């Protein structure tokens, strides 16, 4: 058993647990993703301010760690939540599902925590939705151990050419595009823009959206994210 105090955190998922408690999944810098039981917080009288136990709010948490699930012992606000509405709010929900599905519990994630907080701030300040999501997907995949190789070909190690077209295999990397059936084309310029953190063209953003969908689906074992059914720019073709 160990005690953790004052750990910065965001709740990425919360659900009812037994009769009066909540089960929280939280992203923290020093402990990565952690599962915590907030005991008794669904009762009418509770010392824990349940209103704080909501996703997307910056928090500081105290807990007692015991095996797979810890017990929440304290919570306080660490600042105002970002002003998220409409599609920006749906995008933030998408971020939470990505963390929940692709990040294992218990691995320190300082850089991912910072990337998550930065992404929420960008969404709150109205930055381009699709580009903001592509940057976070790229960073999350890297922190999950699935880093994309975007500047060299996977078949022979030669440099990606901006004017050439490629297909991207989640395991093998980029290879020249030859009209392969069922494969999505992506330009070298788009791959390099993502690698160098430069905003691509509108067509490039759509290519990168399809690429990320393919890569994430692969690492989910062929499954899908609930957020993909949402009408959301940068996530679904209908609104993108």
């Amino acid at each position: 058993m160990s005690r953790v105090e004052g750990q910065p955190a965001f709740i990425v998922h919360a659900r009812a647990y037994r009769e009066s408690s909540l089960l929280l999944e939280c992203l923290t810098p020093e402990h990565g993703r952690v599962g915590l039981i907030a005991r008794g917080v669904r009762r009418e009288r509770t010392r824990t301010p349940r209103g704080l136990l909501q996703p997307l709010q910056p928090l500081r948490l105290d807990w007692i760690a015991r095996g797979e699930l810890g017990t929440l012992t304290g919570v306080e606000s660490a600042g105002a939540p970002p002003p998220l509405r409409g599609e920006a709010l749906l995008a933030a929900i998408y971020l939470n599902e990505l963390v929940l599905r692709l990040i294992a519990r218990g691995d320190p994630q300082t850089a991912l925590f910072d990337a998550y907080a930065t992404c929420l701030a960008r969404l709150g300040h109205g930055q381009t939705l699709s580009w903001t999501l592509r940057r976070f997907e790229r960073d999350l995949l890297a922190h999950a151990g699935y880093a994309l190789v975007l500047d060299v070909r996977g078949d022979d190690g030669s440099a990606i050419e901006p004017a050439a077209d490629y297909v991207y295999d989640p395991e093998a990397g980029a290879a020249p595009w030859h009209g392969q059936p069922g494969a999505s084309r992506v330009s070298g310029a788009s791959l390099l823009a993502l690698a160098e953190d430069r905003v691509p063209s509108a067509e490039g953003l759509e290519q990168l959206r399809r690429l990320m969908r393919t890569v994430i689906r692969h690492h989910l074992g062929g499954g899908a994210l609930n957020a993909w059914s949402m009408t959301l720019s940068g996530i679904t073709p209908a609104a993108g």
Side-chain angles (χ1 to χ4, degrees):
M1 182 179 74
S2 61
R3 292 183 178 272
V4 179
E5 296 183 345
Q7 179 72 188
F10 287 94
I11 294 171
V12 297
H13 186 69
R15 65 176 176 85
Y17 181 76
R18 295 183 176 173
E19 292 185 0
S20 61
S21 303
L22 288 175
L23 179 58
L24 310 175
E25 293 289 343
C26 308
L27 181 64
T28 73
E30 295 179 21
H31 300 269
R33 186 182 136 219
V34 296
L36 300 176
I37 300 172
R39 298 192 183 280
V41 295
R42 294 165 58 214
R43 298 185 182 126
E44 290 186 8
R45 296 183 180 180
T46 175
R47 293 182 179 180
T48 302
R50 185 182 171 187
L52 289 179
L53 299 180
Q54 303 292 331
L56 309 178
Q57 300 190 57
L59 303 170
R60 290 192 179 274
L61 302 181
D62 306 333
W63 71 85
I64 298 173
R66 292 190 184 93
E68 184 72 11
L69 291 176
T71 299
L72 184 73
T73 57
V75 56
E76 63 180 32
S77 173
L84 298 169
R85 298 178 180 82
E87 289 198 332
L89 178 58
L90 294 179
I93 294 171
Y94 173 61
L95 303 188
N96 287 351
E97 189 177 5
L98 282 173
V99 171
L100 193 64
R101 296 287 298 276
L102 289 173
I103 299 298
R105 283 178 177 164
D107 293 329
Q109 292 286 356
T110 301
L112 177 59
F113 183 87
D114 292 342
Y116 178 91
T118 297
C119 188
L120 288 185
R122 287 171 175 158
L123 292 173
H125 287 90
Q127 294 193 20
T128 304
L129 191 69
S130 55
W131 178 232
T132 298
L133 293 177
R134 300 298 81 80
R135 298 168 87 183
F136 182 75
E137 290 164 339
R138 174 200 62 200
D139 295 342
L140 179 137
L141 287 167
H143 296 307
Y146 308 129
L148 302 174
V149 179
L150 300 165
D151 56 350
V152 296
R153 283 169 45 174
D155 54 349
D156 64 5
S158 62
I160 293 293
E161 298 291 340
D165 289 331
Y166 298 88
V167 293
Y168 193 95
D169 182 276
E171 295 294 335
W177 162 260
H178 297 303
Q180 295 91 327
S184 295
R185 177 178 61 87
V186 57
S187 71
S190 300
L191 293 174
L192 292 172
L194 187 59
E196 298 165 6
D197 207 37
R198 294 182 289 101
V199 182
S201 66
E203 181 183 4
L205 282 173
E206 174 58 20
Q207 291 174 351
L208 292 175
R209 185 195 64 79
R210 293 195 300 266
L211 182 152
M212 287 299 192
R213 176 74 66 90
T214 298
V215 172
I216 291 169
R217 186 184 294 277
H218 172 80
H219 292 302
L220 292 174
L225 295 174
N226 293 328
W228 287 344
S229 64
M230 296 189 299
T231 303
L232 172 58
S233 298
I235 294 180
T236 60

